[in-house]
mmCIF file of all heavy atoms in Angstrom:
data_model
loop_
_atom_site.group_PDB
_atom_site.id
_atom_site.type_symbol
_atom_site.label_atom_id
_atom_site.label_comp_id
_atom_site.label_asym_id
_atom_site.label_seq_id
_atom_site.Cartn_x
_atom_site.Cartn_y
_atom_site.Cartn_z
ATOM 1 N N GLN A 782 -5.420 -2.810 -20.011
ATOM 2 C CA GLN A 782 -6.699 -2.999 -20.684
ATOM 3 C C GLN A 782 -7.857 -2.447 -19.869
ATOM 4 O O GLN A 782 -8.081 -2.900 -18.761
ATOM 5 C CB GLN A 782 -6.930 -4.508 -20.978
ATOM 6 C CG GLN A 782 -8.113 -4.803 -21.851
ATOM 7 C CD GLN A 782 -7.903 -4.324 -23.251
ATOM 8 O OE1 GLN A 782 -6.782 -4.229 -23.732
ATOM 9 N NE2 GLN A 782 -8.997 -4.010 -23.968
ATOM 10 N N VAL A 784 -11.620 -1.934 -18.405
ATOM 11 C CA VAL A 784 -12.749 -2.879 -18.156
ATOM 12 C C VAL A 784 -13.976 -2.288 -18.839
ATOM 13 O O VAL A 784 -14.335 -1.138 -18.669
ATOM 14 C CB VAL A 784 -12.996 -2.999 -16.650
ATOM 15 C CG1 VAL A 784 -14.275 -3.843 -16.404
ATOM 16 C CG2 VAL A 784 -11.786 -3.613 -15.981
ATOM 17 N N GLU A 833 -23.378 26.252 -8.198
ATOM 18 C CA GLU A 833 -24.540 27.005 -8.586
ATOM 19 C C GLU A 833 -25.021 26.632 -10.004
ATOM 20 O O GLU A 833 -26.184 26.873 -10.342
ATOM 21 C CB GLU A 833 -24.235 28.473 -8.542
ATOM 22 C CG GLU A 833 -24.144 29.073 -7.124
ATOM 23 C CD GLU A 833 -22.821 28.747 -6.455
ATOM 24 O OE1 GLU A 833 -21.906 28.130 -7.096
ATOM 25 O OE2 GLU A 833 -22.690 29.045 -5.259
ATOM 26 N N ALA A 877 -15.588 23.725 -7.495
ATOM 27 C CA ALA A 877 -14.973 24.382 -8.675
ATOM 28 C C ALA A 877 -14.214 23.289 -9.424
ATOM 29 O O ALA A 877 -13.301 22.676 -8.887
ATOM 30 C CB ALA A 877 -14.060 25.473 -8.216
ATOM 31 N N GLY A 882 -13.507 17.748 -21.181
ATOM 32 C CA GLY A 882 -14.651 17.246 -21.892
ATOM 33 C C GLY A 882 -14.484 15.869 -22.477
ATOM 34 O O GLY A 882 -15.440 15.297 -23.061
ATOM 35 N N ALA A 908 -12.103 19.512 2.789
ATOM 36 C CA ALA A 908 -11.880 19.934 1.401
ATOM 37 C C ALA A 908 -10.753 19.125 0.782
ATOM 38 O O ALA A 908 -9.853 18.587 1.452
ATOM 39 C CB ALA A 908 -11.479 21.449 1.373
ATOM 40 N N ARG A 911 -8.086 17.690 -6.515
ATOM 41 C CA ARG A 911 -7.597 16.478 -7.190
ATOM 42 C C ARG A 911 -7.381 16.776 -8.670
ATOM 43 O O ARG A 911 -8.273 17.308 -9.343
ATOM 44 C CB ARG A 911 -8.616 15.336 -7.067
ATOM 45 C CG ARG A 911 -8.096 14.013 -7.645
ATOM 46 C CD ARG A 911 -9.126 12.900 -7.495
ATOM 47 N NE ARG A 911 -8.569 11.641 -7.861
ATOM 48 C CZ ARG A 911 -9.186 10.693 -8.633
ATOM 49 N NH1 ARG A 911 -10.410 10.994 -9.057
ATOM 50 N NH2 ARG A 911 -8.608 9.573 -8.877
ATOM 51 N N ASP A 919 4.176 13.177 -18.420
ATOM 52 C CA ASP A 919 5.396 13.009 -17.636
ATOM 53 C C ASP A 919 5.011 13.057 -16.163
ATOM 54 O O ASP A 919 4.547 14.094 -15.670
ATOM 55 C CB ASP A 919 6.381 14.148 -17.989
ATOM 56 C CG ASP A 919 7.703 14.009 -17.258
ATOM 57 O OD1 ASP A 919 7.841 13.208 -16.319
ATOM 58 O OD2 ASP A 919 8.646 14.742 -17.642
ATOM 59 N N ASP A 921 6.745 13.489 -13.639
ATOM 60 C CA ASP A 921 7.452 14.548 -12.883
ATOM 61 C C ASP A 921 6.637 15.830 -12.746
ATOM 62 O O ASP A 921 6.855 16.608 -11.852
ATOM 63 C CB ASP A 921 8.801 14.845 -13.555
ATOM 64 C CG ASP A 921 9.884 13.794 -13.256
ATOM 65 O OD1 ASP A 921 9.665 13.038 -12.288
ATOM 66 O OD2 ASP A 921 10.872 13.784 -13.953
ATOM 67 N N LEU A 936 -2.281 22.028 4.255
ATOM 68 C CA LEU A 936 -2.901 20.751 3.928
ATOM 69 C C LEU A 936 -2.740 19.721 5.050
ATOM 70 O O LEU A 936 -1.907 19.890 5.892
ATOM 71 C CB LEU A 936 -2.313 20.219 2.626
ATOM 72 C CG LEU A 936 -0.813 19.944 2.593
ATOM 73 C CD1 LEU A 936 -0.475 18.532 2.941
ATOM 74 C CD2 LEU A 936 -0.238 20.258 1.246
ATOM 75 N N HIS A 937 -3.594 18.679 4.999
ATOM 76 C CA HIS A 937 -3.448 17.572 5.926
ATOM 77 C C HIS A 937 -2.509 16.528 5.358
ATOM 78 O O HIS A 937 -1.546 16.092 6.028
ATOM 79 C CB HIS A 937 -4.835 16.979 6.179
ATOM 80 C CG HIS A 937 -5.803 17.886 6.889
ATOM 81 N ND1 HIS A 937 -5.679 18.261 8.221
ATOM 82 C CD2 HIS A 937 -6.920 18.506 6.419
ATOM 83 C CE1 HIS A 937 -6.645 19.066 8.503
ATOM 84 N NE2 HIS A 937 -7.442 19.185 7.479
ATOM 85 N N PHE A 956 -15.974 -1.209 -8.890
ATOM 86 C CA PHE A 956 -15.203 -1.514 -7.681
ATOM 87 C C PHE A 956 -14.979 -3.021 -7.566
ATOM 88 O O PHE A 956 -13.974 -3.464 -6.938
ATOM 89 C CB PHE A 956 -15.853 -0.917 -6.467
ATOM 90 C CG PHE A 956 -15.282 0.445 -6.133
ATOM 91 C CD1 PHE A 956 -15.802 1.577 -6.715
ATOM 92 C CD2 PHE A 956 -14.223 0.591 -5.272
ATOM 93 C CE1 PHE A 956 -15.294 2.833 -6.442
ATOM 94 C CE2 PHE A 956 -13.693 1.831 -4.963
ATOM 95 C CZ PHE A 956 -14.239 2.961 -5.565
ATOM 96 N N ALA A 963 -6.584 -4.650 -7.868
ATOM 97 C CA ALA A 963 -5.787 -4.127 -6.777
ATOM 98 C C ALA A 963 -5.107 -5.210 -5.967
ATOM 99 O O ALA A 963 -4.046 -4.976 -5.323
ATOM 100 C CB ALA A 963 -6.683 -3.311 -5.813
ATOM 101 N N LYS A 983 -7.768 12.470 10.736
ATOM 102 C CA LYS A 983 -7.405 11.434 11.696
ATOM 103 C C LYS A 983 -6.170 10.641 11.255
ATOM 104 O O LYS A 983 -5.525 9.984 12.113
ATOM 105 C CB LYS A 983 -8.617 10.488 11.821
ATOM 106 C CG LYS A 983 -9.834 11.116 12.358
ATOM 107 C CD LYS A 983 -11.013 10.161 12.474
ATOM 108 C CE LYS A 983 -12.253 10.865 13.014
ATOM 109 N NZ LYS A 983 -13.406 9.913 13.096
ATOM 110 N N TRP A 990 3.215 6.666 -5.165
ATOM 111 C CA TRP A 990 4.528 7.117 -5.625
ATOM 112 C C TRP A 990 4.876 8.470 -4.929
ATOM 113 O O TRP A 990 6.010 8.631 -4.501
ATOM 114 C CB TRP A 990 4.485 7.256 -7.158
ATOM 115 C CG TRP A 990 5.770 7.718 -7.729
ATOM 116 C CD1 TRP A 990 7.011 7.179 -7.561
ATOM 117 C CD2 TRP A 990 5.981 8.879 -8.567
ATOM 118 N NE1 TRP A 990 7.952 7.874 -8.250
ATOM 119 C CE2 TRP A 990 7.355 8.929 -8.892
ATOM 120 C CE3 TRP A 990 5.155 9.844 -9.110
ATOM 121 C CZ2 TRP A 990 7.900 9.894 -9.713
ATOM 122 C CZ3 TRP A 990 5.673 10.785 -9.930
ATOM 123 C CH2 TRP A 990 7.034 10.864 -10.236
ATOM 124 N N ILE A 991 3.941 9.324 -4.883
ATOM 125 C CA ILE A 991 4.090 10.582 -4.107
ATOM 126 C C ILE A 991 3.257 10.463 -2.842
ATOM 127 O O ILE A 991 2.075 10.115 -2.904
ATOM 128 C CB ILE A 991 3.620 11.806 -4.902
ATOM 129 C CG1 ILE A 991 4.405 11.973 -6.201
ATOM 130 C CG2 ILE A 991 3.701 13.068 -4.063
ATOM 131 C CD1 ILE A 991 3.834 12.992 -7.129
ATOM 132 N N ARG A 999 3.319 15.617 10.556
ATOM 133 C CA ARG A 999 4.752 15.391 10.688
ATOM 134 C C ARG A 999 5.339 15.882 12.001
ATOM 135 O O ARG A 999 6.450 15.535 12.375
ATOM 136 C CB ARG A 999 5.495 16.028 9.511
ATOM 137 C CG ARG A 999 5.651 17.531 9.587
ATOM 138 C CD ARG A 999 6.364 18.099 8.362
ATOM 139 N NE ARG A 999 6.469 19.578 8.405
ATOM 140 C CZ ARG A 999 6.915 20.299 7.429
ATOM 141 N NH1 ARG A 999 7.250 19.719 6.271
ATOM 142 N NH2 ARG A 999 7.015 21.625 7.601
ATOM 143 N N GLN A 1039 2.197 -8.173 -8.295
ATOM 144 C CA GLN A 1039 2.470 -9.267 -7.341
ATOM 145 C C GLN A 1039 2.745 -10.601 -8.045
ATOM 146 O O GLN A 1039 3.293 -11.516 -7.424
ATOM 147 C CB GLN A 1039 1.339 -9.392 -6.336
ATOM 148 C CG GLN A 1039 1.149 -8.162 -5.482
ATOM 149 C CD GLN A 1039 2.345 -7.762 -4.661
ATOM 150 O OE1 GLN A 1039 2.688 -8.526 -3.723
ATOM 151 N NE2 GLN A 1039 2.995 -6.662 -4.972
ATOM 152 N N PHE A 1060 -1.090 6.162 9.781
ATOM 153 C CA PHE A 1060 -2.068 5.552 8.898
ATOM 154 C C PHE A 1060 -3.462 5.461 9.608
ATOM 155 O O PHE A 1060 -3.535 5.248 10.810
ATOM 156 C CB PHE A 1060 -1.646 4.181 8.508
ATOM 157 C CG PHE A 1060 -0.884 4.109 7.230
ATOM 158 C CD1 PHE A 1060 0.394 4.670 7.118
ATOM 159 C CD2 PHE A 1060 -1.450 3.487 6.102
ATOM 160 C CE1 PHE A 1060 1.106 4.628 5.940
ATOM 161 C CE2 PHE A 1060 -0.713 3.443 4.887
ATOM 162 C CZ PHE A 1060 0.570 4.033 4.838
ATOM 163 N N PRO A 1068 -17.120 0.622 -2.215
ATOM 164 C CA PRO A 1068 -18.312 0.082 -2.804
ATOM 165 C C PRO A 1068 -18.022 -1.305 -3.434
ATOM 166 O O PRO A 1068 -16.872 -1.715 -3.606
ATOM 167 C CB PRO A 1068 -18.716 1.086 -3.856
ATOM 168 C CG PRO A 1068 -18.040 2.357 -3.428
ATOM 169 C CD PRO A 1068 -16.781 1.950 -2.754
ATOM 170 N N THR A 1074 -17.982 -7.918 1.152
ATOM 171 C CA THR A 1074 -18.026 -9.306 1.612
ATOM 172 C C THR A 1074 -16.728 -9.671 2.295
ATOM 173 O O THR A 1074 -16.767 -10.306 3.377
ATOM 174 C CB THR A 1074 -18.201 -10.245 0.373
ATOM 175 O OG1 THR A 1074 -19.462 -9.925 -0.230
ATOM 176 C CG2 THR A 1074 -18.184 -11.698 0.877
ATOM 177 N N VAL A 1079 -9.448 -1.775 4.844
ATOM 178 C CA VAL A 1079 -8.309 -1.356 5.689
ATOM 179 C C VAL A 1079 -7.115 -2.195 5.355
ATOM 180 O O VAL A 1079 -5.983 -1.697 5.417
ATOM 181 C CB VAL A 1079 -8.640 -1.416 7.187
ATOM 182 C CG1 VAL A 1079 -7.432 -1.157 8.021
ATOM 183 C CG2 VAL A 1079 -9.741 -0.396 7.524
#
Side-chain angles (χ1 to χ4, degrees):
Q782 187 68 27
V784 174
E833 287 77 6
R911 185 180 190 224
D919 183 348
D921 282 344
L936 59 94
H937 295 290
F956 267 86
K983 299 178 179 179
W990 180 54
I991 300 171
R999 75 182 179 188
Q1039 299 299 293
F1060 267 68
T1074 299
V1079 172

